[in-house]
Structures are given as C-alpha cells and as structure tokens.
Amino acid sequence: MPNEKNAVLALADYALERGLIEECERIWAVNVLLDALCCDALPDVTVPADAPLHVILDALCDDAHARGALTEDSVVYRDIFDTELMGRLTPRPAQVHARFEALRRQSPEKATDWYYAFSRDTNYIRRDRIAKDIQWKAPTEYGDLDITINLSKPEKDPRAIAAARNLPASDYPRCQLCAENEGYAGRVNHPARQNHRTVPITVNGSPWFLQYSPYVYYNEHCICFNREHVPMRIDRACFDKLLDFVSQFPHYFVGSNADLPIVGGSILAHDHFQGGRYTFPMEKAPVETPFVFPGFLDVDAGIVKWPMSALRLRCNDRTRLAQLAERVLDAWRGYTDESAMIYAETNGEAHNTITPIARMREGHYELDLVLRNNLTTPEHPLGLYHPHAEKHHIKKENIGLIEVMGLAVLPARLREELKAVADCLAAGGDLRESPLTEKHAFWAEDIRRRRTVSADNALEIVREETGLVFAGVLEDAGVYKRTAAGKAAFLRFLETV
C-alpha cells in the first residue's frame, strides 16, 4: 500500500532519523535486524509510513511470534525481544561517552538534553508506556501535591514468574543498578538492557555513572550510582557527593533515599542517588521557623512548612553546608526523646537517619534534611512513621525520596478503583458491594457526608480527596507532628545540634 512501509525498513529509517545510525550504516542496520528476527529476507510485515516506534516494534514482535522466533507472546518476552532489536541499533558506549562529554564541555544542560532524548529514542525509556501514567495536582495546606498512578511498569507476567522459578540462581548483574546491566540481554526475571547506555561521571573524586530511570516519574528523572556495588550510607561523604553533583549539574536537583529499612528506598544494597529537572512541591514550600545554629551564622536554616519534619540549610559555601549537615546527622543518629516517641535505638537496632535533597537556588547551595525514624510498635507493625493502616487503601508502600518531596507514586490498581468509587458516589450506590470499592468504603462514605457529589464532579472530588490522603500519609511519616507539642519537640532536637 502506498502509505505503508516494511516494518524492518521503517525501524532502520527511525534509527537514521533519530541519529542512532548514519546513512552509510542503513544496509548494515537492516541486516543486523534481520539476524535478530531470524529472517533471511525482509519479512512480509508492514506498518503505516508515519508509525511511531512502539507500533513498529509491536508489528515486528507479532510477526516474530507468528513465525515462532518469539516463543511467548507476553509482555516480558516481548520486552526482551524488542529490546534486542533496539540494542542492534544503539551506538556503542564509547560513542555515547564521547558525545556526552563533547556537549558537556559546551554546557552541562546541553549534555543532559541530548542524553535524555537519546535514552527515549533508543526506547530504553518507553514513551508509549510513560504516556499511560495518570497524573494530577491536589491542593493541600502544604501547596499542590503531585499525584501519579503508575501504569508504565508492566504487570507481573504469570508465565514469566513460573519460568523464573526454573532458572538457576544468578548474581549477575548483582542488582538492577550495577554497571553490568549496560548491554545485558536480560532474562525473564531481569530486564533486558541492550539499548541501555550509562555515562561515567566523577562525584566527589570517586567514579560514578549517570543514567535515566526507565520509568520517569518526573521530568528527566535521572539516577547516578556508584561504580562499585556498595551499600547506601548517609554520612558526610554523602552530603559532599550530593553537593558536588549539583555543582556540576546545577539545573538538576539530587537526593538520596534514607539508608535504613522501612524509611529507605527499594534498593539499599547499591549506593545511588536520584535527581532530575523538576521542581517538587517540597522545594516550593517556605521556611516557616528560622533557626540559627551557633558557629554557623553564615548558613541560613529553618524548619520547612511541610508535613514531614524537614530542615532547610542554605549557603554559598558547600563545605560549610556539608559540615552543618554532618552535625545535624550525628546529633540525630544518637537522639532519643521518649516524650516525643523518638528512640535512637531499641534492642541494639538503630532507628534514626535522614533523607537529604540538594539543589542550587539563586546561586546558593541548598540542602533539605528530612528526619526519619523506622521504629515499629505493636499498633503500627509496619512502622510508626509509615503510612498508617487506615490509609493503606491508597498508599501502603514505603515513603521514599520521591514521596518525601511531594510526589505520590500510587499503584496501578487505583486507576479502576478510584473511577469505581467516583461512579458509585455519583450514583448513590452501596460502596461495600463491589470489590473495587469495598476497601475504600469508609473513606468514600466520609466524602459523601462532606461533599456534594454529582456525575460531573465525582472523579475530580475523589482525586482531590486522594491528595488529602497522601498529605496525611506524609504527616504519618513525619517524626514531629504539626502541632504545638510537635514543633516544641522539633526545636528541642535542634537545640542539641
């Protein structure tokens, strides 16, 4: 058909248009794709001439499955297969490094602009999936919070799970952050990364790598990670690294998850940070209670108006900032205040740590230090400073760096459940009848009592109320509550620094 094109040729042309290959490499590109497709000649599969990348790849996967080259037609196997196709067209690491460094010599912003576009063009960041995420802003007393229902991570595939049980144990790569992921073919229990390229950077004198998150929870969501597989640790060196990173990439913020279970991230075994070009709600929050630390009159400091217990430090000298941050951390690690339910340790287990975030603002270095504690109690076995049980219908998972800064990453199940709640509220139905709404019934019945809900505003109201639940989740995670007693307890700690 005149407006259609062979899918293999379309993929080679896409690579040419996006600068992944040169014109002189087009025939080679077609042939390496045929090899990956187990074809001796162009397969009889066409796509619209203007088809986006995911349509081209879907067509090639469908054809490969029909021919038996792709043995299982499920998302895990298709991802492994189409990643190999893109890997055949992705420039070698040395080429990527050279391009990044050449642009970085012009400006760090030009380098990251190119690298982010490159990571999308290679399909390492799957744009078609990211576009499915549902996002909105929810007004609260702390400003507008960001809410995302994450739909970009593929659902767990029962066939892949079953196949993974039969695989021999493997520690290669040791985790999904290790440098050994670059170019890795993948397996049913580890993602394929042939189209993945990292760039080496030096952070505070040590070798690290920079990459983007394949799930992109916010604009230019990057990850920088230690070349060595070493555990995360919040200490003076961590503060120095964060501040060094923003001095090199001043258009990005960077932060670290805490280094203890419950209050930390999902990967504590590999030292890494997350950053990007995005202004989080927490950054917009003002300092509501200034505080002067003796011996650090050159550092502006104060408690942030935020649901979690956050201290903001600001100075044009990053060494001084790191010195004070270290003082705060050391004091907090050993701090106990039984009247405020703050215990530095119980039965030999340490509880206190910090979630730090660094940025440049108006030519000054800025550090937000969020106080964390992972104490558990019989009433709150998942964590006293963790989402409490009455909010688990919305958010049960740990509150990591991204949530700390005001972006809720909510599970995919809520796409259907929140819509069902809204529909039921609008129709005046019984919220306890459907499995989609039953777990939300107590919350939704309260909404019904307080709000005037109609078919026109039901979903908007449910989303607003979801944002208020998330604000409550962050308050649960705050070690000092936003009460007179909580503020007094916070100031008591600061006086000990």
Side-chain angles (χ1 to χ4, degrees), residues 119-136:
S119 299
R120 288 154 57 95
D121 290 342
T122 61
N123 210 42
Y124 168 70
I125 296 173
R126 293 177 180 264
R127 281 176 282 203
D128 59 305
R129 292 186 184 166
I130 303 299
K132 296 176 183 176
D133 287 349
I134 299 171
Q135 302 174 338
W136 70 91

Side-chain angles (χ1 to χ4, degrees), residues 7 11 26 53 64 145 196 198 241 299 344 374 379 439 442:
L11 186 53
R26 187 174 181 277
L53 177 60
L145 299 183
H196 177 40
T198 62
K241 290 170 188 172
V299 180
N374 73 348
E379 184 183 0
K439 68 172 69 70
F442 185 82

Side-chain angles (χ1 to χ4, degrees), residues 115-116 119-120 123-127 130 133 150 152-153 176-177 193 196-198 210-225 252 272-276 402 409:
Y115 183 42
Y116 185 61
S119 299
R120 288 154 57 95
N123 210 42
Y124 168 70
I125 296 173
R126 293 177 180 264
R127 281 176 282 203
I130 303 299
D133 287 349
N150 173 40
S152 55
K153 279 190 177 181
Q176 291 192 26
L177 287 178
R193 290 290 183 249
H196 177 40
R197 298 293 180 266
T198 62
L210 179 67
Q211 66 176 56
Y212 289 99
S213 166
Y215 305 114
V216 193
Y217 293 137
Y218 51 86
N219 187 48
E220 297 183 40
H221 179 179
C222 71
I223 300 171
C224 46
F225 61 97
Y252 276 8
H272 72 284
F273 306 142
Q274 296 182 76
I402 294 172
V409 181

Side-chain angles (χ1 to χ4, degrees), residues 20 41 93 163 175 179 190 274 279 332 341 394 416 427 430 438 473-474:
L20 302 180
C175 76
H190 194 101
Q274 296 182 76
T279 302
W332 180 243
M341 280 300 286
I394 296 294
E416 300 301 328
D430 185 347
E438 184 181 14
V473 160
L474 296 182

Side-chain angles (χ1 to χ4, degrees), residues 250 314-318 359-366:
R314 190 168 186 262
C315 186
N316 59 8
D317 183 338
R318 78 188 205 199
R359 66 182 72 91
M360 297 293 297
R361 189 178 341 218
E362 299 172 348
H364 288 72
Y365 293 95
E366 200 167 84

Side-chain angles (χ1 to χ4, degrees), residues 285-423:
V287 169
E288 63 178 355
T289 306
F291 189 87
V292 177
F293 288 96
F296 289 90
L297 300 181
D298 54 331
V299 180
D300 294 328
I303 297 171
V304 181
K305 183 183 178 182
W306 194 243
M308 296 185 70
S309 307
L311 176 69
R312 180 165 294 159
L313 309 178
R314 190 168 186 262
C315 186
N316 59 8
D317 183 338
R318 78 188 205 199
T319 300
R320 292 285 289 163
L321 207 58
Q323 288 172 346
L324 179 52
E326 182 182 26
R327 287 266 295 270
V328 172
L329 174 66
D330 289 347
W332 180 243
R333 291 278 194 197
Y335 186 74
T336 291
D337 182 350
E338 294 184 9
S339 67
M341 280 300 286
I342 304 295
Y343 292 88
E345 61 89 20
T346 57
N347 300 319
E349 179 186 355
H351 295 305
N352 290 347
T353 186
I354 280 176
T355 299
I357 301 105
R359 66 182 72 91
M360 297 293 297
R361 189 178 341 218
E362 299 172 348
H364 288 72
Y365 293 95
E366 200 167 84
L367 269 178
D368 284 350
L369 305 178
V370 184
L371 305 182
R372 311 300 301 274
N373 180 288
N374 73 348
L375 181 70
T376 59
T377 66
E379 184 183 0
H380 300 288
L382 297 181
L384 177 59
Y385 304 109
H386 177 87
H388 290 177
E390 72 275 7
K391 303 179 185 74
H392 287 180
H393 65 105
I394 296 294
K395 180 72 175 176
K396 184 178 182 179
E397 298 78 16
N398 292 353
I399 301 304
L401 172 67
I402 294 172
E403 287 87 3
V404 165
M405 296 185 292
L407 192 160
V409 181
L410 301 180
R413 63 176 172 82
L414 289 177
R415 174 179 58 175
E416 300 301 328
E417 291 178 8
L418 295 183
K419 183 180 183 303
V421 167
D423 290 345

